[in-house]
Amino acid sequence: MPELPEVETVKRTLEELIVGKRITNVLVKWPKIIKKPDDVEAFKMKVIGQTFKGVRRRGKFLKLILEDDVIVSHLRMEGKYKLTSIEEEFDHHTHVFFTFDDGTELRYHDVRKFGTMHLFPIGIEENELPLAQLGYEPFSDQFTPEVLQQGFKKTSRKVKTVLLDQTIVVGLGNIYVDEALFKAGIHPERVTSTLKENEIEELHAEIVNTLKDAVNKGGSTIRSYVNSQGKVGTYQDSLYVYGRAGQECKRCNGELSKIVVGGRGTTFCPACQINE
Ligand code: ZN
Protein backbone atom coordinates (compact mmCIF):
# COMPACT_ATOMS: atom_id res chain seq x y z
CA MET A 1 0.00 0.00 0.00
CA PRO A 2 1.45 3.40 -0.86
CA GLU A 3 2.39 5.39 2.26
CA LEU A 4 3.13 9.10 2.60
CA PRO A 5 6.34 9.17 0.49
CA GLU A 6 4.75 7.27 -2.38
CA VAL A 7 1.55 9.35 -2.28
CA GLU A 8 3.63 12.55 -2.15
CA THR A 9 5.52 11.38 -5.23
CA VAL A 10 2.26 10.63 -7.06
CA LYS A 11 0.98 14.07 -6.01
CA ARG A 12 4.02 15.83 -7.46
CA THR A 13 3.91 13.97 -10.76
CA LEU A 14 0.14 14.31 -11.13
CA GLU A 15 0.42 18.04 -10.51
CA GLU A 16 2.74 18.36 -13.50
CA LEU A 17 0.49 16.21 -15.65
CA ILE A 18 -3.09 17.39 -15.09
CA VAL A 19 -3.17 20.98 -13.83
CA GLY A 20 -4.84 23.19 -16.43
CA LYS A 21 -6.66 20.33 -18.12
CA ARG A 22 -10.43 20.63 -18.61
CA ILE A 23 -12.63 17.57 -18.18
CA THR A 24 -14.99 16.94 -21.08
CA ASN A 25 -16.18 13.48 -20.13
CA VAL A 26 -16.01 10.96 -17.29
CA LEU A 27 -16.44 7.22 -17.57
CA VAL A 28 -16.77 5.06 -14.45
CA LYS A 29 -16.60 1.32 -15.07
CA TRP A 30 -16.56 0.30 -11.40
CA PRO A 31 -19.05 2.56 -9.56
CA LYS A 32 -18.07 1.35 -6.06
CA ILE A 33 -14.87 3.40 -6.25
CA ILE A 34 -17.01 6.56 -6.15
CA LYS A 35 -18.05 6.81 -2.49
CA LYS A 36 -19.54 10.30 -2.61
CA PRO A 37 -21.94 11.35 -4.03
CA ASP A 38 -23.82 8.04 -3.81
CA ASP A 39 -24.93 8.36 -7.39
CA VAL A 40 -22.18 8.06 -10.01
CA GLU A 41 -24.19 10.13 -12.47
CA ALA A 42 -24.17 13.00 -9.98
CA PHE A 43 -20.38 12.67 -9.68
CA LYS A 44 -20.00 12.88 -13.44
CA MET A 45 -22.40 15.82 -13.78
CA LYS A 46 -20.43 17.81 -11.19
CA VAL A 47 -16.93 17.26 -12.53
CA ILE A 48 -17.56 17.48 -16.28
CA GLY A 49 -16.68 20.97 -17.49
CA GLN A 50 -14.30 21.70 -14.60
CA THR A 51 -10.54 22.21 -14.90
CA PHE A 52 -7.96 20.68 -12.57
CA LYS A 53 -6.40 23.49 -10.54
CA GLY A 54 -3.98 21.61 -8.32
CA VAL A 55 -3.11 18.44 -6.48
CA ARG A 56 -2.48 18.27 -2.74
CA ARG A 57 -1.84 15.50 -0.26
CA ARG A 58 -3.35 14.93 3.18
CA GLY A 59 -1.91 11.88 4.91
CA LYS A 60 -2.14 9.08 2.38
CA PHE A 61 -4.99 10.79 0.51
CA LEU A 62 -4.68 12.80 -2.70
CA LYS A 63 -6.80 15.92 -3.16
CA LEU A 64 -7.46 16.52 -6.85
CA ILE A 65 -8.60 20.11 -6.88
CA LEU A 66 -11.10 21.33 -9.46
CA GLU A 67 -12.58 24.81 -9.81
CA ASP A 68 -15.53 24.27 -7.46
CA ASP A 69 -15.00 20.80 -6.07
CA VAL A 70 -12.26 18.50 -4.85
CA ILE A 71 -11.87 14.75 -5.40
CA VAL A 72 -10.40 13.09 -2.29
CA SER A 73 -8.75 9.95 -3.59
CA HIS A 74 -7.20 7.05 -1.67
CA LEU A 75 -5.15 4.54 -3.65
CA ARG A 76 -5.39 1.84 -0.96
CA MET A 77 -3.50 -1.27 -2.10
CA GLU A 78 -2.92 -0.93 -5.81
CA GLY A 79 -4.51 2.25 -7.15
CA LYS A 80 -2.60 4.15 -9.83
CA TYR A 81 -3.20 7.20 -12.00
CA LYS A 82 -1.90 7.47 -15.52
CA LEU A 83 -2.17 10.19 -18.14
CA THR A 84 -2.50 8.76 -21.63
CA SER A 85 -3.78 9.61 -25.06
CA ILE A 86 -7.47 8.75 -25.46
CA GLU A 87 -6.51 6.27 -28.15
CA GLU A 88 -4.24 4.18 -25.95
CA GLU A 89 -5.55 0.71 -25.10
CA PHE A 90 -6.48 -0.15 -21.54
CA ASP A 91 -7.06 -3.34 -19.59
CA HIS A 92 -10.03 -4.40 -17.46
CA HIS A 93 -8.38 -3.05 -14.30
CA THR A 94 -8.87 0.52 -15.53
CA HIS A 95 -11.98 1.79 -13.76
CA VAL A 96 -12.29 5.58 -13.98
CA PHE A 97 -11.52 7.78 -17.00
CA PHE A 98 -11.35 11.60 -16.99
CA THR A 99 -11.25 12.70 -20.63
CA PHE A 100 -9.72 16.11 -21.37
CA ASP A 101 -10.32 18.57 -24.18
CA ASP A 102 -6.76 18.12 -25.53
CA GLY A 103 -7.04 14.44 -26.51
CA THR A 104 -5.54 13.12 -23.30
CA GLU A 105 -7.16 11.18 -20.50
CA LEU A 106 -6.42 10.61 -16.80
CA ARG A 107 -7.09 6.97 -16.02
CA TYR A 108 -7.45 5.32 -12.63
CA HIS A 109 -6.22 1.74 -12.56
CA ASP A 110 -6.77 -0.50 -9.55
CA VAL A 111 -6.27 -4.27 -9.64
CA ARG A 112 -7.79 -4.80 -6.20
CA LYS A 113 -10.55 -2.16 -6.60
CA PHE A 114 -10.10 -1.05 -2.96
CA GLY A 115 -9.37 2.58 -3.87
CA THR A 116 -11.92 5.30 -3.13
CA MET A 117 -12.97 8.75 -4.43
CA HIS A 118 -15.07 11.24 -2.47
CA LEU A 119 -16.24 14.48 -4.10
CA PHE A 120 -16.78 17.59 -1.96
CA PRO A 121 -17.34 21.27 -2.61
CA ILE A 122 -13.91 22.89 -2.05
CA GLY A 123 -13.32 23.92 1.55
CA ILE A 124 -15.47 21.43 3.43
CA GLU A 125 -13.45 18.28 2.71
CA GLU A 126 -11.21 18.57 5.79
CA ASN A 127 -14.28 18.57 8.04
CA GLU A 128 -15.86 15.49 6.50
CA LEU A 129 -14.91 11.83 6.57
CA PRO A 130 -12.53 10.39 5.53
CA LEU A 131 -10.23 13.39 6.18
CA ALA A 132 -11.90 14.72 9.34
CA GLN A 133 -10.50 12.05 11.65
CA LEU A 134 -6.87 12.40 10.58
CA GLY A 135 -4.02 13.44 12.88
CA TYR A 136 -1.22 15.90 12.19
CA GLU A 137 0.91 16.02 9.07
CA PRO A 138 4.39 14.80 10.06
CA PHE A 139 6.14 17.75 8.34
CA SER A 140 3.93 20.41 9.95
CA ASP A 141 5.09 22.53 12.90
CA GLN A 142 2.12 21.23 14.84
CA PHE A 143 3.54 17.70 14.96
CA THR A 144 5.84 17.88 17.99
CA PRO A 145 7.21 15.33 20.49
CA GLU A 146 4.65 16.73 22.96
CA VAL A 147 1.77 15.92 20.60
CA LEU A 148 3.08 12.38 20.25
CA GLN A 149 3.44 12.08 24.02
CA GLN A 150 -0.09 13.38 24.64
CA GLY A 151 -1.53 10.88 22.17
CA PHE A 152 0.50 8.02 23.60
CA LYS A 153 -0.60 8.74 27.17
CA LYS A 154 -4.24 8.23 26.33
CA THR A 155 -3.90 4.62 25.24
CA SER A 156 -2.47 1.31 26.37
CA ARG A 157 -2.16 -0.09 22.86
CA LYS A 158 1.07 -1.15 21.16
CA VAL A 159 3.15 1.61 19.62
CA LYS A 160 3.05 0.19 16.10
CA THR A 161 -0.75 -0.12 16.18
CA VAL A 162 -1.16 3.45 17.39
CA LEU A 163 1.16 4.85 14.71
CA LEU A 164 -0.66 2.96 11.97
CA ASP A 165 -4.11 4.26 12.90
CA GLN A 166 -3.41 7.84 11.60
CA THR A 167 -5.09 9.59 14.55
CA ILE A 168 -1.97 11.23 16.07
CA VAL A 169 0.19 11.55 12.99
CA VAL A 170 -0.62 10.62 9.38
CA GLY A 171 1.37 8.99 6.62
CA LEU A 172 2.97 5.95 8.22
CA GLY A 173 2.13 2.49 6.91
CA ASN A 174 3.76 -0.87 7.41
CA ILE A 175 7.08 0.02 5.75
CA TYR A 176 7.88 3.35 7.41
CA VAL A 177 6.53 2.49 10.84
CA ASP A 178 8.88 -0.52 11.03
CA GLU A 179 11.77 1.64 9.82
CA ALA A 180 11.12 4.50 12.27
CA LEU A 181 10.73 2.12 15.22
CA PHE A 182 13.99 0.35 14.34
CA LYS A 183 15.92 3.60 14.02
CA ALA A 184 14.54 4.82 17.34
CA GLY A 185 15.41 1.45 18.96
CA ILE A 186 11.83 0.85 20.08
CA HIS A 187 10.19 -2.59 20.05
CA PRO A 188 6.97 -2.49 17.96
CA GLU A 189 4.95 -4.12 20.78
CA ARG A 190 5.87 -1.58 23.46
CA VAL A 191 2.76 -0.18 25.12
CA THR A 192 2.72 3.54 24.32
CA SER A 193 2.02 4.71 27.86
CA THR A 194 5.31 3.08 29.00
CA LEU A 195 7.50 5.01 26.53
CA LYS A 196 9.86 7.48 28.18
CA GLU A 197 10.18 11.10 27.15
CA ASN A 198 13.59 10.63 25.51
CA GLU A 199 12.30 7.61 23.56
CA ILE A 200 9.35 9.60 22.28
CA GLU A 201 11.64 12.45 21.23
CA GLU A 202 13.83 10.01 19.33
CA LEU A 203 10.81 8.34 17.72
CA HIS A 204 9.38 11.71 16.70
CA ALA A 205 12.67 12.64 15.02
CA GLU A 206 12.94 9.29 13.25
CA ILE A 207 9.36 9.44 11.94
CA VAL A 208 10.04 12.83 10.38
CA ASN A 209 13.51 11.93 9.08
CA THR A 210 12.49 8.58 7.64
CA LEU A 211 9.51 10.04 5.78
CA LYS A 212 11.56 13.03 4.51
CA ASP A 213 14.33 10.78 3.28
CA ALA A 214 11.86 8.53 1.52
CA VAL A 215 10.10 11.50 -0.15
CA ASN A 216 13.50 12.68 -1.42
CA LYS A 217 14.10 9.26 -2.95
CA GLY A 218 10.69 9.10 -4.65
CA GLY A 219 9.32 6.54 -2.19
CA SER A 220 9.93 2.79 -2.13
CA THR A 221 9.20 0.52 -5.04
CA ILE A 222 7.83 -2.60 -3.37
CA ARG A 223 5.63 -4.89 -5.44
CA SER A 224 3.93 -2.84 -8.09
CA TYR A 225 4.20 0.76 -7.00
CA VAL A 226 5.25 3.27 -9.65
CA ASN A 227 4.42 6.96 -9.83
CA SER A 228 2.15 8.44 -12.48
CA GLN A 229 4.93 8.72 -15.01
CA GLY A 230 5.86 5.08 -14.59
CA LYS A 231 9.01 5.97 -12.61
CA VAL A 232 10.13 3.95 -9.63
CA GLY A 233 11.32 5.19 -6.24
CA THR A 234 14.63 4.08 -4.74
CA TYR A 235 14.11 4.13 -0.98
CA GLN A 236 13.80 0.31 -0.91
CA ASP A 237 17.62 0.27 -1.08
CA SER A 238 17.79 2.23 2.20
CA LEU A 239 15.48 -0.01 4.24
CA TYR A 240 16.86 -1.35 7.52
CA VAL A 241 14.17 -3.85 8.46
CA TYR A 242 11.10 -3.90 6.20
CA GLY A 243 11.20 -6.98 3.96
CA ARG A 244 14.49 -8.16 5.55
CA ALA A 245 13.28 -10.76 8.10
CA GLY A 246 15.91 -13.46 8.60
CA GLN A 247 18.65 -11.20 7.24
CA GLU A 248 21.42 -9.46 9.19
CA CYS A 249 20.69 -6.34 11.19
CA LYS A 250 22.63 -3.46 9.62
CA ARG A 251 23.52 -2.19 13.12
CA CYS A 252 24.38 -5.25 15.22
CA ASN A 253 24.69 -8.04 12.61
CA GLY A 254 22.13 -10.14 14.55
CA GLU A 255 19.23 -11.79 12.77
CA LEU A 256 16.05 -9.75 12.13
CA SER A 257 12.81 -11.34 13.36
CA LYS A 258 9.28 -11.27 12.01
CA ILE A 259 6.20 -11.18 14.22
CA VAL A 260 2.58 -10.12 13.77
CA VAL A 261 1.47 -6.92 15.49
CA GLY A 262 -2.16 -5.87 15.19
CA GLY A 263 -2.57 -8.21 12.23
CA ARG A 264 0.40 -6.75 10.34
CA GLY A 265 3.65 -8.52 9.53
CA THR A 266 6.37 -6.72 11.47
CA THR A 267 10.14 -6.97 11.09
CA PHE A 268 12.44 -5.81 13.88
CA CYS A 269 15.79 -6.54 15.55
CA PRO A 270 15.39 -8.38 18.86
CA ALA A 271 18.78 -7.05 20.00
CA CYS A 272 18.41 -3.38 18.98
CA GLN A 273 14.71 -3.10 19.89
CA ILE A 274 14.21 -4.62 23.33
CA ASN A 275 10.67 -4.99 24.69
CA GLU A 276 11.16 -3.65 28.20
ZN1 ZN B 1 20.28 -5.10 15.58
Side-chain angles (χ1 to χ4, degrees), residues 182 249-254 256 269-273:
F182 170 81
C249 173
K250 293 180 182 178
R251 284 202 174 146
C252 75
N253 300 330
L256 298 178
C269 176
C272 297
Q273 295 164 270

Side-chain angles (χ1 to χ4, degrees), residues 224-259:
S224 61
Y225 162 77
V226 289
N227 75 23
S228 302
Q229 289 170 318
K231 287 185 193 151
V232 298
T234 61
Y235 193 75
Q236 66 277 10
D237 302 330
S238 307
L239 297 173
Y240 281 90
V241 285
Y242 182 86
R244 299 191 65 245
Q247 298 180 41
E248 257 185 25
C249 173
K250 293 180 182 178
R251 284 202 174 146
C252 75
N253 300 330
E255 190 179 319
L256 298 178
S257 295
K258 189 158 186 180
I259 54 173

Side-chain angles (χ1 to χ4, degrees), residues 5-276:
E6 292 77 34
V7 178
E8 178 65 25
T9 306
V10 172
K11 179 229 145 195
R12 291 178 185 182
T13 46
L14 264 186
E15 205 164 31
E16 286 172 27
L17 295 174
I18 65 168
V19 169
K21 290 187 184 267
R22 189 172 155 269
I23 301 167
T24 54
N25 198 20
V26 176
L27 175 65
V28 180
K29 287 182 173 278
W30 188 258
K32 283 184 179 166
I33 288 171
I34 312 297
K35 298 294 180 198
K36 193 177 165 49
D38 297 334
D39 175 19
V40 171
E41 287 308 311
F43 176 87
K44 287 158 68 169
M45 291 278 286
K46 285 227 171 194
V47 303
I48 290 173
Q50 294 198 55
T51 299
F52 279 112
K53 292 293 183 185
V55 184
R56 301 225 175 94
R57 181 193 55 73
R58 173 79 174 99
K60 302 180 210 171
F61 290 87
L62 291 164
K63 289 167 58 168
L64 310 179
I65 298 164
L66 295 160
E67 290 159 77
D68 302 326
D69 297 284
V70 52
I71 301 168
V72 175
S73 164
H74 200 299
L75 306 172
R76 299 291 297 274
M77 303 293 284
E78 303 270 353
K80 288 179 191 69
Y81 283 101
K82 192 180 176 193
L83 186 76
T84 68
S85 128
I86 51 172
E87 277 106 38
E88 195 168 307
E89 296 204 2
F90 54 87
D91 65 18
H92 66 286
H93 299 302
T94 311
H95 306 300
V96 185
F97 301 69
F98 298 92
T99 309
F100 299 120
D101 58 5
D102 64 355
T104 64
E105 201 160 66
L106 179 69
R107 293 176 181 172
Y108 179 71
H109 184 275
D110 192 340
V111 173
R112 305 284 289 272
K113 297 188 218 164
F114 288 153
T116 58
M117 293 182 198
H118 291 76
L119 185 74
F120 296 103
I122 282 181
I124 71 160
E125 72 279 5
E126 295 283 342
N127 305 320
E128 303 269 340
L129 290 175
L131 300 185
Q133 61 192 7
L134 296 180
Y136 292 113
E137 283 292 324
F139 305 147
S140 76
D141 295 339
Q142 294 159 302
F143 178 57
T144 59
E146 291 71 39
V147 158
L148 200 52
Q149 191 162 24
Q150 286 301 318
F152 280 176
K153 254 196 238 165
K154 290 185 206 147
T155 162
S156 53
R157 290 180 299 153
K158 294 168 182 169
V159 61
K160 174 162 178 177
T161 307
V162 174
L163 290 175
L164 284 180
D165 81 8
Q166 314 292 302
T167 55
I168 304 175
V169 57
V170 295
L172 293 165
N174 218 29
I175 300 174
Y176 300 105
V177 77
D178 280 6
E179 292 298 308
L181 287 168
F182 170 81
K183 290 189 203 165
I186 295 171
H187 191 288
E189 291 185 302
R190 286 280 299 280
V191 170
T192 56
S193 53
T194 69
L195 290 169
K196 298 177 194 79
E197 204 177 316
N198 64 321
E199 291 178 305
I200 294 173
E201 276 172 17
E202 179 90 18
L203 180 58
H204 173 271
E206 294 300 352
I207 290 170
V208 175
N209 291 339
T210 302
L211 291 172
K212 269 194 184 151
D213 247 25
V215 166
N216 289 337
K217 290 179 174 156
S220 301
T221 304
I222 311 270
R223 289 160 53 99
S224 61
Y225 162 77
V226 289
N227 75 23
S228 302
Q229 289 170 318
K231 287 185 193 151
V232 298
T234 61
Y235 193 75
Q236 66 277 10
D237 302 330
S238 307
L239 297 173
Y240 281 90
V241 285
Y242 182 86
R244 299 191 65 245
Q247 298 180 41
E248 257 185 25
C249 173
K250 293 180 182 178
R251 284 202 174 146
C252 75
N253 300 330
E255 190 179 319
L256 298 178
S257 295
K258 189 158 186 180
I259 54 173
V260 175
V261 181
R264 307 295 301 275
T266 300
T267 310
F268 73 106
C269 176
C272 297
Q273 295 164 270
I274 294 166
N275 193 3
E276 55 187 356

